Amino acid sequence: MASGNMAESKTKSSGSKIAGLPARRGALKLLDAVLRRGETIDQAEKSALQGVNGPADRALARAIVGETLRWMPDLDALIDSATKRNLPEDAKPRSVLRLMLAQALRLETPPHAVVATGLELLHGGPRRLAHGVFSSLMKREVALPDVPTLSDAVLTRWEGRTQAVAPGLIHPPEVDLALKDHGETQERALSMGGVTLAPGHIRLPRGTPIDRLSSYDEGAWWVQDLAAQIVPRLLGAGDNRRALDLCAAPGGKTLALAAAGWRVSALDVSEKRLELLRENLGRTGLEAEIIKANALTYTPAKQFDAILLDAPCTATGTARRHPDVLHRVGPRQIGETTELQQSLIYQAFEWMQPGTVLVYAVCSLEQEEGEDQAAWASETFNLEPMPITAEELPAGLEPTPEGWLRTHPGMLPEQGGLDGFFAARWRKR
């Protein structure tokens, strides 16, 4: 009995010395947290990557999981093509094979390194099966399709939008910056080696280390996807008028409103997320009143000329950077968020005076959270539609026939795409 324990201990010790193994163990824990517990990668990272040291290995673990989730239906199809009987969806060998194939086919990890680190994740399990399946697929020189296949559940929800969206999910997004001074756009784009798709916007290559950019401490910009940058611009120039940014943290839209000349009150319930807003305000030198409160119970002490409600949502529009949303969001989550969104719209309307402008926005691709909510608000409240115009949008984007904004990852493909957003705008009569 003692000799058996010693042998097992020796094996574990030997395995722990394999280069890159902690990152793969962390990746398996991350994948499990998303698929079994419905956590986001961000929520699960601290616990799952506890034994992974160094930013490079942590980034590798996230990259492996990200590519696994991005291409999971296609990875599963390959696995099933190499087994006589399909492995259960939640079987550990299937999860390990998903990670192994994602490394080989998406991250271009040499097969021998994939095998050395992958099979160690199946101690006491069917290592021979996993080795056989992976080796068989490598000998067949399999490849993934040009565009990720989306799950049946997502296909059903997104319906006719799917074919347009899927090509935008092939890669993680590039890095978008929002400038404090739109007049510096061309000069800064040139000096930073980026491109611009709109005044006040710069796009840098994927993976650019933000905090190492020489201009980081200047406070002249902040990170914000192009689609998200459009939303606060729908309120126009502030001219020292008052704006309420509901559900404001981490604060990109608050910064944009302050830079546009609004006197901003930024409200959020999360102290941790508000701290990020405070840091960004300090770095950029912009000003805003910060209010920690629950929007559903808050009573404003002043009136506002504009309200920006970037409502909590399923965030399926961020699937390029957060592919976990493709697998953990379903009818229950959508139902919960739509109920909350309607409650927040009720509150916002109660705080509006005649002439107050309301912009409602969500980073979601779900019709229930976007188009359906805008139609409901238009029918329920005494609001005058303020159609969004093409002139307010980056080149290549058009408003919907209703005068709303709808973006998705497949748009602007030649320029690198953008997140999925919905926005609508009204004025209180």
Side-chain angles (χ1 to χ4, degrees):
M1 191 72 156
S3 61
N5 288 338
M6 288 176 63
E8 183 180 353
S9 174
K10 186 177 180 180
T11 302
K12 287 183 178 178
S13 175
S14 171
S16 67
K17 295 178 182 178
I18 297 175
L21 181 57
R24 274 69 174 190
R25 283 180 174 149
L28 183 60
K29 292 178 182 177
L30 266 183
L31 185 64
D32 185 70
V34 172
L35 298 181
R36 286 181 187 263
R37 299 196 296 275
E39 297 180 24
T40 69
I41 291 177
D42 289 343
Q43 288 170 339
E45 179 178 8
K46 183 176 181 181
S47 174
L49 303 188
Q50 204 163 20
V52 183
N53 297 319
D57 277 356
R58 297 176 75 87
L60 174 60
R62 286 185 63 112
I64 294 170
V65 174
E67 292 307 301
T68 300
L69 294 169
R70 195 181 307 278
W71 296 86
M72 201 165 81
D74 300 302
L75 298 173
D76 281 341
L78 291 176
I79 294 168
D80 292 342
S81 75
T83 56
K84 292 181 180 179
R85 289 188 300 176
N86 290 354
L87 297 168
E89 282 293 312
D90 59 350
K92 188 176 182 180
R94 181 182 286 278
S95 292
V96 171
L97 280 166
R98 287 166 172 164
L99 297 173
M100 292 173 71
L101 289 171
Q103 293 171 74
L105 301 179
R106 289 296 296 168
L107 301 181
E108 299 181 350
T109 307
H112 71 270
V114 174
V115 169
T117 53
L119 298 188
E120 283 293 324
L121 303 177
L122 289 170
H123 260 305
R127 299 175 64 181
R128 184 177 298 178
L129 168 65
H131 195 184
V133 170
F134 181 77
S135 299
S136 171
L137 292 172
M138 292 300 100
K139 287 176 183 176
R140 283 165 44 191
E141 298 184 350
V142 297
L144 293 168
D146 293 336
V147 174
T149 301
L150 299 176
S151 69
D152 290 342
V154 172
L155 287 171
T156 299
R157 295 204 317 268
W158 294 356
E159 294 181 347
R161 196 180 294 161
T162 309
Q163 279 192 322
V165 173
L169 303 179
I170 296 172
H171 301 290
E174 294 169 289
V175 178
D176 284 344
L177 306 181
L179 296 183
K180 183 167 64 174
D181 183 352
H182 291 194
E184 298 179 350
T185 303
Q186 296 298 335
E187 178 186 347
R188 286 194 176 272
L190 185 63
S191 66
M192 299 176 81
V195 298
T196 178
L197 304 182
H201 165 267
I202 294 177
R203 176 159 288 179
L204 301 175
R206 184 181 303 115
T208 298
I210 298 302
D211 56 353
R212 295 185 200 168
L213 291 173
S214 58
S215 58
Y216 178 80
D217 292 330
E218 290 179 38
W221 49 262
W222 54 92
V223 178
Q224 189 176 36
D225 186 81
L226 175 60
Q229 291 184 34
I230 298 170
V231 173
R233 299 183 188 200
L234 298 178
L235 289 177
D239 299 325
N240 209 34
R241 292 175 293 161
R242 293 188 181 278
L244 174 63
D245 185 5
L246 277 177
C247 312
K253 297 178 182 66
T254 294
L255 298 175
L257 291 172
W262 290 92
R263 285 184 290 164
V264 190
S265 296
L267 184 147
D268 202 279
V269 72
S270 169
E271 178 59 39
K272 184 177 180 180
R273 285 164 58 82
L274 282 173
E275 189 55 40
L276 293 174
L277 174 53
R278 290 188 183 93
E279 291 174 7
N280 276 315
L281 286 170
R283 186 175 65 84
T284 59
L286 294 167
E287 295 183 358
E289 176 191 23
I290 293 180
I291 303 169
K292 181 184 180 298
N294 185 332
L296 296 177
T297 57
Y298 171 68
T299 301
K302 58 178 76 75
Q303 293 183 322
F304 299 96
D305 300 290
I307 297 178
L308 173 56
L309 172 53
D310 183 8
C313 67
T314 57
T316 50
T318 67
R320 296 184 307 159
R321 73 190 74 244
H322 300 300
D324 50 272
V325 300
L326 298 171
H327 304 282
R328 60 176 184 77
V329 171
R332 178 178 62 81
Q333 291 85 354
I334 295 170
E336 290 172 353
T337 57
T338 53
E339 186 175 330
L340 175 58
Q341 289 154 9
Q342 290 192 354
S343 297
L344 289 168
I345 295 172
Y346 263 115
Q347 284 290 76
F349 181 79
E350 289 297 315
W351 300 334
M352 296 169 71
Q353 57 186 325
T356 300
V357 175
L358 170 66
V359 169
Y360 168 80
V362 285
C363 57
S364 169
L365 290 172
E366 312 306 323
Q367 179 171 313
E368 296 93 328
E369 298 181 271
E371 291 83 351
D372 289 356
Q373 295 289 44
W376 170 81
S378 297
E379 295 170 0
T380 305
F381 303 103
N382 188 21
L383 294 168
E384 174 192 353
M386 296 180 65
I388 297 165
T389 66
E391 290 71 28
E392 297 176 271
L393 305 177
L397 298 181
E398 295 285 340
T400 70
E402 299 86 354
W404 302 331
L405 170 70
R406 163 54 74 193
T407 66
H408 63 68
M411 292 179 170
L412 305 181
E414 299 301 321
Q415 291 79 28
L418 72 173
D419 280 353
F421 254 88
F422 175 87
R425 180 176 59 190
W426 304 269
R427 179 187 290 112
K428 187 172 184 179
R429 291 188 172 100

